[in-house]
Amino acid sequence: MPVISVPEAFNEEDLYIDLESMFGRRLFLKCEGFNFAGSIKLKAATEMVESAERRGVLTRNSILVESSSGNLGVALSMIAASKGYRFVCVTDSRCNLATRQMMEALGSQVHVIAHEHAAGGGLLGARLEYVRSLCAADDRYVWLSQYTNPENWKAHYRRTAPAIARFFPKLDVLFIGVGTTGTLMGCARWFRSWHRPVRIVAVDSVGSAIFGDPPGRRMIPGLGMSVRPPLLDESYVDEAVHVEETDTIRTCRQLAKRGFLFGGSTGTVVSGAMSWLDRHDSRGLTTVAIAPDLGERYLDTIYQTNWVQALYGADFLAQEAPAAPGTTAREPSTVHGRPS
């Protein structure tokens, strides 16, 4: 039994779910939400904060500031409370109410960018502009910049990928959701030098511009970005699968019917992975997907009937769910000409 004195010291690394009985395809789901921050973002947050402390950038008088759609904001709120820092999270109107309330309960200040304040750069651009204005006005602000900070991907190079390799020494395919691409790049870099080739499949949301598509409407926070992430190096990625938000919702709800309440990011990853497995001969393959978060923070969105029907129509929930969730709106793309 672990005994801890600070919340960031605990993270359950070795919990997997075999999804074959639910979806008809064998896929092991690595659950990353069992820590006091509730998501995989605890790893990146811890690495970025501790690196800033070692370099002397973050001091007792500093005020942490970060742009986040939710999960990283909660992780930084928890660490800031544990270490005695002030923290300002700059988010936007897509951030779930429960997430904002959690950050505030931990003592953080949450600044929400409304849609009407987003100009040409969209909500993300408006968030970043506000962060820069805070830093320019007061040198006590320290921006960790999850979008450019190498400690973001190094956290997964050091921890997530080796943990998967310990349990699955014959891993063939790894499915990873993409946002800042920290998890993707850390795992992909680690497995590139492993003893056997591992196919890296990035799972993105339709409407995301990460792999060069024009940005579109995305209502579920977590995965996807409206710009290309600076951390992304496509040479490490074999394939990108795009998932419609409607499939994300159906997958989340199907998991919930079997007692597993996961967040939108996890629903997207599972949906994309099942779509890929449907199109390939996966017999004999060992496949793993990373589940970034749990579902409590999505109770007022994905799991709320009125919210779903307002966005996708009154008959959306009455439609029969596909036998194997994850059907994408278009064929998956290959990256750098490496076919599936």
Side-chain angles (χ1 to χ4, degrees):
M1 173 185 292
V3 177
I4 63 173
S5 57
V6 293
E8 62 269 27
F10 173 75
N11 183 69
E12 175 53 64
E13 189 76 79
D14 298 327
L15 178 63
Y16 294 83
I17 301 171
D18 184 347
L19 296 180
E20 185 173 15
S21 65
M22 282 176 270
F23 294 95
R25 297 286 184 274
R26 194 164 196 202
L27 176 70
F28 295 100
L29 187 63
K30 186 180 192 304
C31 301
E32 289 281 355
F34 290 96
N35 55 58
F36 285 96
S39 81
I40 197 171
K41 289 292 188 178
L42 175 62
K43 295 177 182 178
T46 301
E47 293 286 341
M48 291 191 295
V49 168
E50 291 182 350
S51 174
E53 290 175 330
R54 289 192 299 268
R55 291 181 287 114
V57 174
L58 191 56
T59 66
R60 182 178 299 273
N61 295 323
S62 298
I63 305 172
L64 282 167
V65 61
E66 186 57 84
S67 161
S68 170
S69 62
N71 284 337
L72 183 73
V74 172
L76 286 174
S77 293
M78 188 195 77
I79 293 171
S82 173
K83 291 176 173 286
Y85 295 118
R86 291 171 59 189
F87 172 53
V88 178
C89 180
V90 182
T91 187
D92 59 58
S93 49
R94 294 173 301 179
C95 181
N96 299 326
L97 175 61
T99 301
R100 300 200 301 266
Q101 291 175 328
M102 186 173 295
M103 288 188 280
E104 290 168 346
L106 290 165
S108 299
Q109 177 185 343
V110 181
H111 181 84
V112 180
I113 301 291
H115 275 83
E116 55 266 26
H117 296 148
L123 286 168
L124 176 59
R127 278 161 41 185
L128 298 182
E129 182 180 353
Y130 187 81
V131 170
R132 294 188 185 100
S133 69
L134 289 179
C135 294
D138 189 335
D139 60 10
R140 292 178 300 168
Y141 283 101
V142 174
W143 180 20
L144 298 174
S145 185
Q146 63 166 323
Y147 310 103
T148 60
N149 194 325
E151 298 301 324
N152 186 346
W153 67 262
K154 288 179 181 179
H156 305 287
Y157 185 93
R158 295 168 181 145
R159 298 178 61 183
T160 308
I164 295 170
R166 285 197 306 270
F167 264 73
F168 298 96
K170 295 183 179 181
L171 179 66
D172 294 298
V173 187
L174 181 60
F175 300 95
I176 308 171
V178 290
T180 65
T181 68
T183 307
L184 173 71
M185 297 314 305
C187 291
R189 283 189 168 97
W190 195 92
F191 279 111
R192 176 61 63 87
S193 60
W194 203 34
H195 69 92
R196 60 182 283 128
V198 174
R199 187 167 190 82
I200 301 297
V201 180
V203 183
D204 199 4
S205 300
V206 170
S208 168
I210 289 176
F211 292 102
D213 297 315
R217 187 184 80 158
R218 290 178 295 111
M219 300 304 298
I220 300 174
L223 299 187
M225 282 186 66
S226 57
V227 297
R228 177 188 171 89
L231 295 177
L232 176 63
D233 182 343
E234 292 186 19
S235 67
Y236 287 94
V237 184
D238 295 295
E239 189 175 349
V241 176
H242 290 76
V243 176
E244 293 277 4
E245 288 191 331
T246 50
D247 288 325
T248 293
I249 294 169
R250 289 190 178 101
T251 302
C252 284
R253 285 172 169 257
Q254 186 162 350
L255 285 163
K257 288 179 180 178
R258 297 296 294 270
F260 295 105
L261 193 72
F262 281 108
S265 297
T266 298
T268 302
V269 172
V270 172
S271 181
M274 291 300 167
S275 174
W276 189 94
L277 293 171
D278 283 347
R279 295 189 307 274
H280 295 77
D281 183 2
S282 59
R283 289 172 297 179
L285 293 182
T286 298
T287 62
V288 171
I290 298 175
D293 55 1
L294 301 178
E296 293 90 340
R297 296 170 200 171
Y298 296 82
L299 293 177
D300 60 340
T301 54
I302 287 174
Y303 298 103
Q304 217 287 326
T305 298
N306 291 340
W307 185 88
V308 173
Q309 290 180 336
L311 287 174
Y312 304 105
D315 61 343
F316 173 78
L317 296 178
Q319 297 171 8
E320 183 178 357
T327 303
T328 54
R330 58 197 174 100
E331 286 300 307
S333 56
T334 55
V335 180
H336 285 291
R338 295 148 71 176
S340 59

